[in-house]
Amino acid sequence: MKKLLMTSGGMLFLFFLSFSDSSSTISFQKTDYPIGNRPEFGTVGDFDKDGDLDLAVGKWFDENFSILFNDGQGDFSSIVNYPDSSGCLNILAVDIDKDTDLDIITSHWYNSLGMVDSTLSLFYNQGGGTFSGPTLIQTGKAPLALTSLDLENDGDIDLVTANYEGGDITILKNLGSEAFDTPLHMVPGSLPTDVASADFDNDGFADLVVTYRGDNTVSILLNQGNGTFAPKVDYVSNTGPRFAGIFDLDQDGDLDLGVPDFDASQISVYKNQGNGTFDTAVYYPTGYRPNSVVFPDLDKDGDPDLAVSSFYDNYFTYLEDIGNGQFAFGFDQFSGNGPISALSGDWNQDGWVDLAVTNTYSHNISVFLTIPAIYGVRVLAGSDEFGYKGGTVNVEFNLKNTGQVIDSFQVTVSDSLGWTISPPLSPVQLMPAQEVLVSVGVHIPTTALEGTKNKITLSGASLSSPASQSASLYVTALELCGDVNNDGKLNLADIIYYVNFMFKDGPAPCNLLGIR
């Protein structure tokens, strides 16, 4: 049963949301930021170079884009808008002029006259996150998506667009002087919706993946190393591939694909065989009209999970990696009306991946700060113990893995009086839901006073939950009955000590009656 807890506060519509199942809890602090009319796709980057990840979002009807500056704590209230030449549909952050500042490139679909556009707008970052006016770049007809890559490994950033109404992609080669070569149109296909770049065959050159909604194909173009591409290889999609997400599914070093199928309400996952060829897709259900996907490790188990925005259901779907490259449904999270672009990053620098989703019909962007999940190893103390002076008593602690993955707990033992402690072996490995008893040996010195209590604490942290866990119990020192010489032992020396006392005026015995 999923749980939803919601309270509101603040002008920016702040919510706390919690989703739980039988073994874990993932919670978010959700804040909605109004940014204008019809926000579309967004991107992430440190635009003002202050060490925090900022957001940039293009807006179709307002014909501008917004920079949302992060204050370092995940607050994006500082928003600056920059006018564009046409309705901004997609947006890319890349350093075109090699000055170490991230520039902005936007793509357009229709202009203010209702005519199909064929341009990109380049905005140079002038430092500090301020941008110059747009420089227009001619490309194909209705560039729905764009990506950057270094085609020839010459150090210059080139561009590629997927032209929805042109039915092709366009290569824009950087001439090295902040100018681009004549557009090269290639790879015709029906309704290309996205293009992305990565080195799929591990040869050191950036390749391309293009999704064609009309052809129901995902096409791979391998870079031949000289700025040209081998003939495309098509992989069958289900219906209407919309977005090309790139991630390492099984962490084997080869880049795989996650492709939301806009017309099929599912995501197709393609595993890379290592040489740029891909297995047949494995399908996972999503909400209605999935638009984009990101791959955050929300549960910090070391595996990439999926967060898929669903345009008509007004939420994103979280699919959890359950191992071996397989995914299971986690939960649906309401975002807003018409969610389009899913983004991820550690917005508040707390070590947990956060999310953001643009909502085109709510005219805002929702930022989700992840509240650390209740995972990891819990420590429970056993019973307090008593032990005789000079002896050793064993005390027990219970370690319980409350997560869904194999965990490792690094053990530290301390005491309040400095007695000799024999800690358990560390780290302790635990299977999911496993409980383990660990024993700690406590040596009670002979000099300890009767009734002395020593606080024994076992603490540590697990891989999946770095927050320290601890538990404590007490060991009380007792006198040992018959230990007349108070050396912590019962042996012949006690008899000799007692005889000396009785017949040779020796010192009085201790613990003769065991009175405590």
Side-chain angles (χ1 to χ4, degrees):
M1 177 69 68
K2 302 294 182 291
K3 298 179 181 178
L4 171 63
L5 305 175
M6 183 178 296
T7 61
S8 64
M11 296 181 63
L12 296 175
F13 310 104
L14 176 65
F15 302 99
F16 292 90
L17 303 110
S18 175
F19 297 85
S20 67
D21 56 30
S22 59
S23 58
S24 63
T25 299
I26 294 178
S27 302
F28 298 103
Q29 175 184 312
K30 176 178 182 280
T31 306
D32 295 331
Y33 296 92
I35 54 174
N37 199 358
R38 292 295 294 272
E40 299 289 331
F41 276 86
T43 190
V44 178
D46 185 4
F47 299 111
D48 53 4
K49 296 174 73 171
D50 64 352
D52 308 315
L53 292 176
D54 309 307
L55 302 173
V57 181
K59 287 166 289 180
W60 188 6
F61 284 11
D62 281 348
E63 298 190 349
N64 66 23
F65 71 91
S66 296
I67 300 290
L68 294 86
F69 291 102
N70 188 346
D71 72 347
Q73 302 299 315
D75 187 309
F76 293 89
S77 301
S78 177
I79 303 173
V80 179
N81 297 320
Y82 288 90
D84 202 345
S85 63
S86 189
C88 178
L89 199 68
N90 216 318
I91 189 166
L92 177 71
V94 62
D95 183 12
I96 289 290
D97 53 3
K98 295 186 280 191
D99 63 354
T100 73
D101 294 311
L102 286 174
D103 307 308
I104 289 291
I105 304 176
T106 62
S107 69
H108 314 120
W109 195 346
Y110 289 92
N111 60 26
S112 58
L113 301 177
M115 301 175 62
V116 174
D117 205 319
S118 300
T119 63
L120 305 178
S121 293
L122 169 57
F123 298 81
Y124 288 108
N125 190 336
Q126 299 177 323
T130 60
F131 293 85
S132 66
T135 299
L136 295 184
I137 303 171
Q138 292 297 316
T139 185
K141 192 175 181 181
L144 186 60
L146 72 163
T147 190
S148 63
L149 73 165
D150 186 351
L151 277 173
E152 299 172 311
N153 287 351
D154 60 359
D156 297 317
I157 298 300
D158 309 299
L159 302 174
V160 183
T161 64
N163 311 309
Y164 191 71
E165 297 200 18
D168 56 15
I169 68 172
T170 299
I171 306 293
L172 296 164
K173 180 166 173 49
N174 191 335
L175 298 177
S177 57
E178 300 181 17
F180 291 87
D181 204 350
T182 302
L184 173 62
H185 306 292
M186 55 184 291
V187 196
S190 177
L191 305 179
T193 52
D194 197 22
V195 59
S197 61
D199 184 6
F200 294 118
D201 55 358
N202 297 307
D203 65 350
F205 291 93
D207 310 305
L208 294 176
V209 54
V210 186
T211 56
Y212 293 93
R213 182 182 180 188
D215 293 333
N216 296 323
T217 58
V218 175
S219 299
I220 300 295
L221 290 84
L222 296 181
N223 191 334
Q224 299 187 101
N226 58 0
T228 65
F229 294 91
K232 70 183 177 77
V233 177
D234 294 332
Y235 294 88
V236 176
S237 173
N238 195 318
T239 308
R242 173 63 182 90
F243 182 90
I246 299 171
F247 72 122
D248 189 354
L249 170 68
D250 46 7
Q251 300 186 69
D252 60 356
D254 302 316
L255 292 175
D256 311 299
L257 298 173
V259 179
D261 295 311
F262 190 73
D263 300 319
S265 299
Q266 66 183 20
I267 184 169
S268 302
V269 175
Y270 301 83
K271 176 173 167 48
N272 190 343
Q273 296 178 2
N275 58 357
T277 60
F278 292 82
D279 291 340
T280 302
V282 178
Y283 305 119
Y284 296 93
T286 65
Y288 187 39
R289 301 290 195 187
N291 237 329
S292 67
V293 60
V294 287
F295 309 96
D297 183 11
L298 283 182
D299 53 6
K300 292 189 77 169
D301 64 354
D303 299 315
D305 306 309
L306 307 182
V308 186
S309 63
S310 297
F311 186 65
Y312 283 166
D313 278 341
N314 300 330
Y315 57 65
F316 70 80
T317 298
Y318 168 65
L319 298 170
E320 182 180 358
D321 189 318
I322 57 175
N324 298 320
Q326 302 294 313
F327 295 91
F329 174 80
F331 55 78
D332 292 326
Q333 160 69 63
F334 174 77
S335 176
N337 294 328
I340 289 186
S341 181
L343 307 168
S344 65
D346 185 0
W347 311 140
N348 56 357
Q349 302 188 69
D350 65 350
W352 292 81
V353 180
D354 308 304
L355 299 174
V357 180
T358 62
N359 305 301
T360 191
Y361 295 137
S362 295
H363 312 299
N364 64 18
I365 183 171
S366 297
V367 172
F368 299 88
L369 297 181
T370 301
I371 299 172
I374 303 174
Y375 285 106
V377 176
R378 297 292 175 261
V379 181
L380 301 174
S383 302
D384 293 341
E385 296 288 348
F386 298 85
Y388 292 111
K389 296 186 341 180
T392 297
V393 61
N394 290 320
V395 295
E396 290 184 336
F397 293 84
N398 180 276
L399 304 181
K400 181 177 181 180
N401 185 358
T402 63
Q404 295 178 302
V405 297
I406 299 173
D407 215 335
S408 177
F409 189 82
Q410 193 74 35
V411 174
T412 300
V413 180
S414 61
D415 78 311
S416 59
L417 299 178
W419 294 355
T420 300
I421 302 294
S422 299
L425 294 175
S426 181
V428 179
Q429 302 290 332
L430 297 99
M431 299 297 291
Q434 183 182 11
E435 296 186 35
V436 174
L437 285 177
V438 295
S439 180
V440 177
V442 181
H443 180 73
I444 304 172
T446 59
T447 56
L449 298 177
E450 168 77 8
T452 299
K453 292 188 176 218
N454 191 1
K455 184 179 180 180
I456 312 299
T457 301
L458 187 145
S459 59
S462 58
L463 288 179
S464 62
S465 181
S468 181
Q469 301 288 324
S470 65
S472 301
L473 50 73
Y474 289 89
V475 173
T476 302
L478 301 177
E479 303 285 3
L480 180 59
C481 179
D483 180 18
V484 295
N485 63 356
N486 199 32
D487 65 354
K489 302 175 183 178
L490 291 177
N491 52 27
L492 182 60
D494 295 302
I495 298 175
I496 296 172
Y497 189 97
Y498 186 65
V499 169
N500 285 334
F501 165 69
M502 291 292 294
F503 302 106
K504 297 185 178 182
D505 295 324
C510 304
N511 307 324
L512 183 61
L513 300 178
I515 298 173
R516 295 179 288 277

